[in-house]
């Protein structure tokens, strides 16, 4: 297993000859689960210093140390895109965080809307999902998952230079598209299973930065809508171009 292509996120600086201590869970994963031993190679990234090939120099049950050898990828930042979504059932919320990370979101913001089903989220668990998704998809960046925020407050204090791709189910089948929209800073907004309230819709249609978009002629589930919206946005304005 010397050249196993295991990717691991670490919260530690990475650089030439830099040694990186492992915490208990990481040591358990590498040496207990994956059965690596001294001399094995692992790819490390920390969201800041790109990806590094590192070698195991100490392997214990509860701890271990790796030493960085060479940089194998520079830091690749995603576009400056936030994904705002209303948390739904646990497994579907996990799916949204995983897919948003894979699809290249820079920040993931769970929002409480008028019809949001869930009033609490486990931010730490969702952040761990984003880390896992970044490990798996070859990314060198991990989007920050925010705590649950109230949509009305977020909109009241919205940064002037950030556009909103407002995916409005009331526009299902209409011709509303991103069109000639431009700008580097964006947020995609997807509602909960119950959709947006009329008050939210009125506010968003009047919002100077909001671009109202229809995602085709069918109503999508929120988790599908997140992936569809990311695809449309990445293709039109993001790093798929
Ligand atoms: N219960 C609502 C649907 C909510 S779908 C109804 O029947 O009207 C969940 C979210 O996905 C919506 O709030 C919207 O943001 C997005 N969505 C789903 N289908 C869409 C479509 N065809 N166009 C735009 N947004 C859509």
């Amino acid at each position: 297993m010397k050249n196993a292509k295991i990717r691991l996120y670490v919260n530690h600086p990475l650089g030439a000859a830099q040694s990186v201590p492992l915490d208990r869970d990481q040591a358990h994963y590498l040496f207990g689960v994956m059965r690596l031993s001294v001399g094995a190679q692992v790819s490390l990234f920390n969201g800041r210093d790109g990806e590094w090939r590192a070698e195991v120099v100490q392997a214990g049950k509860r701890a271990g140390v790796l030493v960085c050898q060479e940089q194998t990828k520079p830091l690749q930042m995603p576009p400056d895109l936030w994904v705002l979504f209303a948390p739904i059932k646990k497994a579907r919320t996990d799916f949204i965080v995983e897919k948003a990370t894979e699809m290249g979101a820079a920040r993931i913001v769970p929002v409480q809307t008028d019809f949001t089903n869930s009033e609490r989220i486990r931010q730490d668990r969702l952040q761990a999902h984003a880390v896992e998704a970044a490990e798996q998809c070859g990314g060198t960046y991990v989007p920050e998952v925010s705590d649950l925020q109230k949509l009305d407050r977020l909109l009241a204090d919205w940064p002037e230079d950030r556009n909103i791709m407002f995916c409005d189910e009331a526009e299902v089948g209409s011709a509303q598209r991103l069109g000639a929209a431009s700008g580097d800073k964006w947020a995609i907004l997807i509602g909960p299973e119950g959709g947006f309230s009329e008050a939210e819709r009125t506010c968003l249609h009047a919002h100077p930065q909001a671009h109202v978009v229809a995602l085709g002629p069918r109503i999508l589930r929120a988790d599908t809508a997140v992936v569809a919206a990311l695809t449309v946005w990445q293709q039109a304005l993001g790093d798929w171009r």
Side-chain angles (χ1 to χ4, degrees), residues 167-169 171-173 189-196 213-222 225:
C167 300
D168 182 0
E169 70 278 359
E171 295 288 337
V172 61
L189 173 60
I190 303 288
E193 279 167 23
F196 290 98
V213 169
L215 300 171
R218 287 164 292 271
I219 299 268
L220 308 177
R221 295 191 82 126

Side-chain angles (χ1 to χ4, degrees), residues 8-11 21-32:
L8 196 64
Y9 170 84
V10 290
N11 187 8
L22 297 176
D23 67 26
R24 203 186 161 109
D25 288 348
Q26 291 164 335
H28 171 72
Y29 172 67
L30 290 187
F31 312 131

Side-chain angles (χ1 to χ4, degrees), residues 162-233:
R162 187 170 296 276
N163 293 306
I164 303 172
M165 174 176 168
F166 169 42
C167 300
D168 182 0
E169 70 278 359
E171 295 288 337
V172 61
S174 85
Q176 290 284 354
R177 300 284 179 270
L178 268 181
S182 58
D184 303 330
K185 296 185 180 191
W186 278 83
I188 286 172
L189 173 60
I190 303 288
E193 279 167 23
F196 290 98
S197 69
E198 275 316 311
E200 287 167 337
R201 182 163 292 117
T202 305
C203 164
L204 279 154
H205 277 260
H207 201 286
Q209 274 98 264
H211 298 250
V212 180
V213 169
L215 300 171
R218 287 164 292 271
I219 299 268
L220 308 177
R221 295 191 82 126
D223 45 349
T224 316
V226 168
V227 179
L230 275 156
T231 309
V232 167
W233 189 90

Side-chain angles (χ1 to χ4, degrees), residues 36-55:
L36 299 189
S37 49
V38 169
Q41 312 270 314
V42 177
S43 290
L44 301 181
F45 68 105
N46 62 4
R48 302 184 296 273
D49 300 320
E51 181 192 82
W52 286 76
R53 184 158 51 77
E55 187 176 306

Side-chain angles (χ1 to χ4, degrees), residues 76-87:
Q76 289 159 338
M77 290 295 289
D80 191 349
L81 174 65
W82 299 355
V83 171
L84 274 53
F85 75 99

